[in-house]
Amino acid sequence: MNKLASVTALREQFLAGTTTPTAAVEAALALIAAEDADVHAFLDVYADDARAAAVVATAAYAQGGDVPPLCGIPVAIKNNILIKGKRATAGSKMLAQYIASYDATVIERLRAAGAIFIGATNMDEFAMGGSTENSAFGVTRNPLARTRVPGGSSGGSAAAVAMGAVPVAIGTDTGGSIRQPASYCGLVGYKPTYGAVSRSGLIAMGSSLDQAGPLTHTVTDAKLVHTIMAGRDPLDATSHDLPVTGYTAGESLTFGIPRAFLKDGIDPDVMAHFEAHCAALKAAGHTIVDIALPLFEQGLAAYYIVMPAEVSSNLARYDGMRYGLSVPGDDLLAVYEQTRAQGFGPEVKRRILLGTYVLSSGYYDAYYKKAELVRQKMREELAQVFCSVDIILTPTAPTPAFRLGEQADPLSMYRQDIFTVPVNLTGIPALSFPMGEVTRGDDVLPVGVQYSAPLGADTRLLDIGMYVYDHRLAA
Ligand code: GLN
């Protein structure tokens, strides 16, 4: 079965005429037909639309001239991103039949760049989770080890790329949902600076945390796709343009390691790869220093207060009146109660309850306000650290992909987010890419390293990622 190469390689083949968008779309559909009954990366496949778009794209290359950068490239989209006329389920029974009435800004921009949408990918319900086991439509399997999870919540997007159906998929990241599945599936995953990408048309989870970003095979591809999606959008007041400051290969960098943060609960094989990665950077002439980020250890606790608070207010709109599911009842209250009881799964309910609790009078000061204060202090702590280091290095996740059903206790699942959530709380950009593989029985499992950079330093971070990963300095 023909797996699709990187975006850049496929584009070169289109330009050289060695393959066509029609052939690429047929390869994607054939792979999905062969593999997806087992993997279940996709909730919907847009075969007819994709074939029609491929005919137009194939003609554009045949004609020559200026062909837009993603022309004919098959892309998979997490199903919490609106595509006009398509289902946007967010992995929930609540929105199982909900049809989007407009395109998200990221979709508009990808479409304008010529991307072909192959299908919608599975996800944890409303992006809550780290394994894609919380989807109302069944689990997704890790294409590299089928008894294991692909990570989450953008697990379907990661699986779609890892199985070779598409060279790029779009995910969203509220606390690690692009980076952690990238780590589990051997991919590049990128969470931009908060506000770098418009959230218009994204089904909100935590509005002060959510960002959309790419999952790809190379950092070059991630940069290309991110650059197309990024930039100020009048439909999202928090969006803005970022300065473009790059990195020139050869410039010596300082990497900071928050040693105290890397102690408990990290798989020893993950740690061994991390140490080897640091050693390779050092051997290439870069400086590795220990840094102290004491407040980062509070990140997980602060996240699991701030995020549910935002979840509880964002999900109040699913009342049986305005969107999606509506379960009839004797009176209005009964409609609300029954719609929400039947429409939401257990993890979503847990977070709504927790969020409502921390926002209620009497507890607001004790929990929500304190968590926001920790968040502010974390930002200050970071600004200080970034005066002397270029990049903060950690593993992306403490373990490789776990088995389906293995993390039944929600708290142990939450601990997978320890390195990723501080990034969303502080708004900084972070990139995950593979740093090695570990063996568990018959399974060979990739593990990722996370590079975090100062607010707005997205171009520089991506350039550094290209230098280290795409050019195989250390991986
Ligand atoms: N695993 C995290 C959570 O469950 C992250 C989710 C996300 O980034 N959407 O909240």
Side-chain angles (χ1 to χ4, degrees), residues 78 80 124 126-131 134 152-154 172-180 205 210 303-304 307 347 351 413-414 416-417 420-421 424:
K78 186 175 181 180
N80 60 350
D124 285 304
F126 286 103
M128 299 177 207
S131 68
N134 294 338
S153 62
S154 313
T172 60
D173 192 312
T174 304
S177 281
I178 291 173
R179 292 159 285 155
Q180 182 253 29
M205 176 181 166
D210 300 343
Y303 173 79
Y304 276 94
M307 174 275 296
E347 182 62 25
R351 296 193 192 197
M413 186 88 84
Y414 297 171
Q416 290 289 321
D417 304 333
T420 48
V421 298
N424 301 72

Side-chain angles (χ1 to χ4, degrees), residues 269-349:
D269 292 335
V270 170
M271 236 9 239
H273 280 295
F274 182 71
E275 298 297 358
H277 188 84
C278 295
L281 291 172
K282 207 166 172 180
H286 302 289
T287 309
I288 309 283
V289 295
D290 286 354
I291 52 171
L293 283 171
L295 281 169
F296 266 54
E297 298 182 40
Q298 310 302 318
L300 208 52
Y303 173 79
Y304 276 94
I305 290 175
V306 170
M307 174 275 296
E310 296 190 11
V311 159
S312 80
S313 55
N314 272 328
L315 271 60
R317 74 190 67 174
Y318 304 106
D319 57 4
M321 297 292 142
R322 286 174 286 188
Y323 302 91
L325 186 72
S326 184
V327 180
D330 291 342
D331 54 22
L332 188 60
L333 188 62
V335 174
Y336 289 165
E337 286 177 350
Q338 285 167 34
T339 299
R340 290 169 71 83
Q342 291 181 30
F344 291 138
E347 182 62 25
V348 171
K349 285 179 184 158

Side-chain angles (χ1 to χ4, degrees), residues 40-264:
H40 193 226
F42 288 88
L43 294 176
D44 290 316
V45 178
Y46 313 137
D48 293 346
D49 292 353
R51 286 192 168 112
V55 170
V56 177
T58 300
Y61 281 103
Q63 216 168 50
D66 244 3
V67 186
L70 295 180
C71 183
I73 304 288
V75 181
I77 305 290
K78 186 175 181 180
N79 205 210
N80 60 350
I81 303 176
L82 307 191
I83 304 179
K84 188 176 178 178
K86 302 292 182 205
R87 278 206 310 168
T89 68
S92 181
K93 211 174 141 188
M94 186 65 91
L95 294 176
Q97 309 303 334
Y98 176 70
I99 306 292
S101 56
Y102 64 98
D103 275 341
T105 297
V106 295
I107 293 297
E108 256 175 19
R109 292 183 181 182
L110 291 169
R111 206 191 280 285
I116 296 182
F117 304 120
I118 282 285
T121 57
N122 198 15
M123 55 182 285
D124 285 304
E125 186 174 5
F126 286 103
M128 299 177 207
S131 68
T132 315
E133 293 168 300
N134 294 338
S135 168
F137 307 106
V139 302
T140 297
R141 292 172 185 278
N142 189 319
L144 309 176
R146 305 270 167 116
T147 58
R148 292 176 185 268
V149 303
S153 62
S154 313
S157 288
V161 180
M163 73 197 245
V166 284
V168 51
I170 308 303
T172 60
D173 192 312
T174 304
S177 281
I178 291 173
R179 292 159 285 155
Q180 182 253 29
S183 176
Y184 287 6
C185 291
L187 302 172
V188 171
Y190 170 56
K191 196 293 277 183
T193 289
Y194 180 76
V197 176
S198 168
R199 287 176 296 111
S200 173
L202 263 54
I203 297 177
M205 176 181 166
S207 304
S208 77
L209 305 158
D210 300 343
Q211 276 291 283
L215 289 124
T216 54
H217 289 296
T218 67
V219 182
T220 308
D221 283 359
K223 184 180 175 186
L224 172 72
V225 174
H226 164 71
T227 308
I228 286 162
M229 296 196 298
R232 160 124 188 89
D233 171 18
L235 298 176
D236 175 358
T238 63
S239 68
H240 49 261
D241 292 319
L242 293 176
V244 181
T245 315
Y247 166 75
T248 319
E251 183 193 332
S252 176
L253 294 166
T254 303
F255 292 90
I257 320 249
R259 277 284 160 203
F261 198 37
L262 300 178
K263 32 178 215 260
D264 306 326

